[in-house]
Structures are given as C-alpha cells and as structure tokens.
Amino acid sequence: MTAAWIALAAALLVAVPVGLLWWIRSRFVVVTVNGGSMRPTYEPGDRVLVRRVAAGRVRAGDVVLMASAAPVLRGGEGLGLVKRALAVPGDPVPRERVPALAGAREHTVPEGRVVLVGDHPGSDDSRQYGYFPLADLLGVVVRKLP
C-alpha cells in the first residue's frame, strides 16, 4: 500500500462518520418534554426523537414540536412546544373541540395554520389561543427514547 492509499483510507475513516453525524443532526433533534400537557402519552422529563420536516409534511394526529410558539404561552418559558396536530390546512375547523375557534368564519383550517392540542385536557393550546402558525413547526415526534 502506498502512502497515498493510506492517507485516503485515513481521510475516509474520519470523513464518513463526520458526514453521517452531520446528516443525522440536520434531520433529527432530541427534545425533553417539559410539563404535563401531553400526559398520558408523554410525561415530564421524557425524551423524544423529533424528525425535522417541512410544514406541508405534518398530518392531523402527528405529535409536533413547534419552535416559537412557546413565547405565546407561559410568558416565553421553554424552547419549544410539544403538542398534537388536531387539524392541518384543508381540514374542517374543529369548532366543537376548540372553543377559541367556535366563531371562526372559515370552514377549513387556513393555509399556514395548524390546530394544536395537548393530550391532557388542561393543556394550554389551540383551545384557548386558536390557530398556530405552521411556519413555527420544527418537526414531528418519531418516538419516545429510553
């Protein structure tokens, strides 16, 4: 083996793991659930794996991580908000389940908006605040981590 081959092999041994780590970190993030709004699905302190996705890739029923929605609630505490997407653009407005949207003029959730609820009935969410901007979506929860 020549020195060039050895250098190439050494470079690959470094570059491949670094590239793989970069790819994983650009697509996934680990978040610790803070608060009880997602009980019983997630408890405070649970760690979840979140896949970063574009706003158009969220579906009703997905548990999502929202980036800047946290300042709307609780005076800015926390770095994000973990909630369930109850309705996404084009879905019927869930007036019966979301009192803040009972008087909504539109029949379907508008583009760029999402209806978010916690699994716990006492959650601060769309039931009090109405729509949330889809632009604040960071990703979809994939699974709970051990």
Side-chain angles (χ1 to χ4, degrees):
M1 230 184 204
T2 67
W5 282 106
I6 293 172
L8 177 62
L12 285 174
L13 284 174
V14 172
V16 169
V18 168
L20 183 59
L21 182 61
W22 172 84
W23 180 84
I24 290 169
R25 290 187 59 110
S26 69
R27 287 179 173 63
F28 296 93
V29 64
V30 175
V31 176
T32 301
V33 175
N34 185 15
S37 71
M38 286 303 293
R39 280 185 174 147
T41 308
Y42 301 113
E43 295 290 330
D46 283 351
R47 292 170 21 123
V48 294
L49 181 64
V50 177
R51 185 187 62 211
R52 299 174 195 261
V53 297
R57 305 279 311 238
V58 65
R59 295 174 296 181
D62 287 345
V63 176
V64 299
L65 173 65
M66 301 295 283
S68 61
V72 172
L73 310 174
R74 309 252 185 246
E77 293 177 14
L79 299 174
L81 189 66
V82 176
K83 300 288 182 190
R84 189 172 304 278
L86 180 62
V88 297
D91 287 349
V93 175
R95 289 177 174 80
E96 308 80 38
R97 293 187 61 192
V98 181
L101 297 175
R105 293 183 196 146
E106 57 276 350
H107 296 288
T108 60
V109 176
E111 286 298 317
R113 301 289 179 194
V114 63
V115 179
L116 301 176
V117 295
D119 288 353
H120 189 274
S123 170
D124 285 337
D125 50 38
S126 288
R127 290 175 276 218
Q128 295 83 26
Y129 301 101
Y131 298 118
F132 283 84
L134 260 178
D136 291 344
L137 177 77
L138 279 180
V140 174
V141 174
V142 175
R143 65 181 300 239
K144 181 176 154 181
L145 297 174

